[in-house]
């Protein structure tokens, strides 16, 4: 399905009357963007994919950003998350000057609290200190 394209005819304003304009303003103004998702069936969740798709109206304003990705999944193998990483990269390849700076793989997170006991939390903390 193609975007409705209404935004392209009215200065980047989406026809949907919701908070996306405010979110886009914040994304355009940010120096760093962190995209995070649980991984279900080897891809990002629907909410994050919808956010990415909704940037269509003004995605050219999201430029020169440091990009970080955080993924969690029950699967203990990082390789099982590569399809999701490629989804992130597909989006960022459309952004002028996007610079992928790091990926956090929260593997083996099946139950609430599992991630707290993993080395992933320390890794995320250290990466955050360098932003």
């Amino acid at each position: 399905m193609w975007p409705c394209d209404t935004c392209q005819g009215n200065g980047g304003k989406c026809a949907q009357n919701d908070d996306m304009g405010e979110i886009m303003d914040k994304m355009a103004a940010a120096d760093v963007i962190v995209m995070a998702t649980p991984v279900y069936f080897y891809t990002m969740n629907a909410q994050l994919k919808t956010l990415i798709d909704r940037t269509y109206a003004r995605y050219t304003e999201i430029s020169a950003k440091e990009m970080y990705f955080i993924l969690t999944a029950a699967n203990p193998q990082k390789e099982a998350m590569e399809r999701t990483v490629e989804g992130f990269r597909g989006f960022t390849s459309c952004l002028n000057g996007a610079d992928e700076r790091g990926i956090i793989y929260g593997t083996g997170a099946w139950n609430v609290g599992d991630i707290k006991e993993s080395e992933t939390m320390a890794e995320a903390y250290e990466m955050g200190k360098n932003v």
Side-chain angles (χ1 to χ4, degrees):
M1 177 180 205
W2 292 96
C4 76
D5 228 16
T6 300
C7 57
Q8 299 306 315
N10 64 4
K13 184 169 180 358
C14 183
Q16 299 295 318
N17 186 17
D18 59 13
D19 295 336
M20 191 61 195
E22 182 181 341
I23 292 167
M24 278 299 307
D25 291 344
K26 290 178 180 183
M27 290 178 79
D31 295 325
V32 175
I33 295 176
V34 178
M35 304 189 87
T37 185
V39 176
Y40 301 119
F41 301 104
Y42 305 100
T43 192
M44 70 184 70
N45 68 2
Q47 293 83 354
L48 184 57
K49 180 62 169 112
T50 298
L51 174 91
I52 289 170
D53 291 347
R54 292 288 307 281
T55 66
Y56 173 73
R58 297 170 43 199
Y59 75 94
T60 58
E61 297 175 30
I62 307 170
S63 61
K65 308 297 181 198
E66 291 182 12
M67 304 294 293
Y68 293 86
F69 310 137
I70 301 174
L71 306 90
T72 60
N75 193 313
Q77 304 297 321
K78 287 182 182 180
E79 296 79 19
M81 298 186 198
E82 286 307 311
R83 209 174 280 156
T84 306
V85 172
E86 288 308 311
F88 284 138
R89 289 179 176 153
F91 171 58
T92 59
S93 72
C94 297
L95 306 178
N96 186 28
D99 181 18
E100 181 182 315
R101 300 296 295 267
I103 303 172
I104 300 294
Y105 294 91
T107 58
W110 185 259
N111 296 300
V112 173
D114 285 349
I115 203 73
K116 291 179 182 179
E117 304 302 321
S118 75
E119 295 176 15
T120 303
M121 291 299 286
E123 184 182 350
Y125 179 78
E126 289 301 315
M127 187 178 293
K129 288 186 348 185
N130 296 316
V131 173

